[in-house]
Amino acid sequence: MSGNTIRYRVFENPDSASAQAAAEMAQLIRERAVIGRTAVIGFATGRTQLPFFEELIYLYREEGLSFRNVICFNLDEYLGLEQTHPESFRSFMRWNLYDFIDVPRENIHFLRGDLTTEKIPAHCRAYEKKISEAGGIDLQILGIGRNGHIGFNEPGSDIQCRTSRVPIAEMTRRDAIRDFGDFDDVPTEALTMGCGTILEARKIILLAWGSQKARVIRRAIQGPVGSKLPASYLQTHPSAQVFLDTPAASVLMEK
Ligand code: GLP
């Protein structure tokens, strides 16, 4: 499949890139607040997101940005963890963002990793329905796995896939040892918004820092579009941007 290269911006460090991403989100939230409408945001987890969350909390505390008109959808969740498990993405989001801003609790939506097998398909369909009923995602924030996954859409995922139960790739599980301590404790499956769901967002910003992401960023932005690297699907999106620090941009070919 042919794609365009994705628009990307290189910043001096993760903090300056995060400040720009947060400023774009803040502008959307404020524009909607003025006309009495909601802003629908898709949030991602991962260490990459931490300086970005800090920036959002700063804007809330110091710059008067309110999240009262924001509706949040979280991208993915490990399967098999209780909601209160310290490594659940629900806990991650509460402890790093939601507990520190004024977003109404009823506006926060998570995929649930604690459901039994029979309940999962209906839960995933209901999640998609909630996104549609909210008016669709205005701005989706993403990170990227070293194997090119977005959400938990691992290599092999179809461009049209919807929210569903998916296996987690071995490389991704190995990267998660830093959180879980032991490979065998890292969940083997997850629920994730699908590539098709993600690509329906009106705007997308993918964040990536550090030299360990440099090769995958080059493939995502400048390589062929295909299921070997789900992040390459962003090339087909009319309004996707990638914000990088200098090390993550270090092996990109000249524009
Ligand atoms: C997990 C999440 C992804 C995230 C990725 C990168 O696999 N499911 O949504 O993009 O981690 O994590 P980090 O930002 O810690 O590198």
Side-chain angles (χ1 to χ4, degrees):
M1 190 186 301
S2 67
N4 301 308
T5 65
I6 309 168
R7 278 190 300 147
Y8 66 89
R9 295 177 63 178
V10 185
F11 296 83
E12 208 174 324
N13 54 50
D15 287 345
S16 47
S18 297
Q20 181 58 34
E24 293 198 16
M25 184 175 287
Q27 188 185 349
L28 167 74
I29 294 169
R30 287 187 168 121
E31 279 171 8
R32 292 292 172 81
V34 166
I35 55 171
R37 285 186 53 199
T38 55
V40 184
I41 308 288
F43 280 108
T45 54
R47 293 184 188 197
T48 306
Q49 305 299 320
L50 294 176
F52 172 62
F53 291 168
E54 275 175 30
E55 194 61 39
L56 292 176
I57 295 165
Y58 172 83
L59 292 178
Y60 167 67
R61 287 188 176 155
E62 309 293 334
E63 305 281 341
L65 176 67
S66 173
F67 292 80
R68 294 210 62 80
N69 65 323
V70 173
I71 300 179
C72 309
F73 286 92
N74 267 81
L75 191 58
D76 50 10
E77 181 58 281
Y78 287 115
L79 191 62
L81 299 189
E82 289 300 317
Q83 296 187 28
T84 52
H85 190 287
E87 297 308 331
S88 75
F89 288 161
R90 179 184 291 251
S91 299
F92 180 91
M93 290 305 299
R94 283 194 52 196
W95 296 343
N96 292 295
L97 181 65
Y98 295 146
D99 281 356
F100 302 99
I101 58 175
D102 65 344
V103 60
R105 294 295 164 250
E106 63 275 19
N107 288 7
I108 301 174
H109 302 285
F110 289 103
L111 284 161
R112 284 183 56 177
D114 60 340
L115 296 178
T116 50
T117 295
E118 350 38 285
K119 291 192 172 152
I120 290 172
H123 174 60
C124 292
R125 281 195 300 276
Y127 204 68
E128 295 262 347
K129 191 159 173 254
K130 275 190 223 164
I131 294 173
S132 312
E133 284 169 358
I137 292 174
D138 293 303
L139 174 58
Q140 175 68 52
I141 305 295
L142 296 174
I144 186 169
R146 284 192 304 127
N147 62 359
H149 73 232
I150 46 174
F152 269 126
N153 295 285
E154 300 283 15
S157 304
D158 190 87
I159 191 168
Q160 291 179 331
C161 62
R162 310 305 306 188
T163 301
S164 63
R165 175 182 188 165
V166 293
I168 304 177
E170 179 163 343
M171 183 193 279
T172 307
R173 292 185 64 220
R174 293 212 175 280
D175 284 346
I177 293 174
R178 64 189 181 188
D179 302 320
F180 286 87
D182 193 295
F183 182 72
D184 290 334
D185 292 335
V186 180
T188 56
E189 293 180 282
L191 301 187
T192 184
M193 277 165 54
C195 296
T197 323
I198 292 168
L199 291 169
E200 279 171 9
R202 292 182 189 91
K203 277 180 85 173
I204 299 174
I205 299 178
L206 184 148
L207 308 174
W209 331 130
S211 56
Q212 73 283 6
K213 298 282 174 76
R215 283 194 63 240
V216 76
I217 281 296
R218 173 172 165 163
R219 291 175 65 204
I221 296 180
Q222 298 175 325
V225 177
S227 65
K228 277 188 185 158
L229 202 91
S232 68
Y233 293 150
L234 299 180
Q235 293 181 34
T236 68
H237 191 279
S239 194
Q241 302 182 75
V242 176
F243 287 4
L244 304 167
D245 68 353
T246 316
S250 59
V251 299
L252 282 171
M253 291 174 287
E254 300 252 317
K255 282 193 202 183

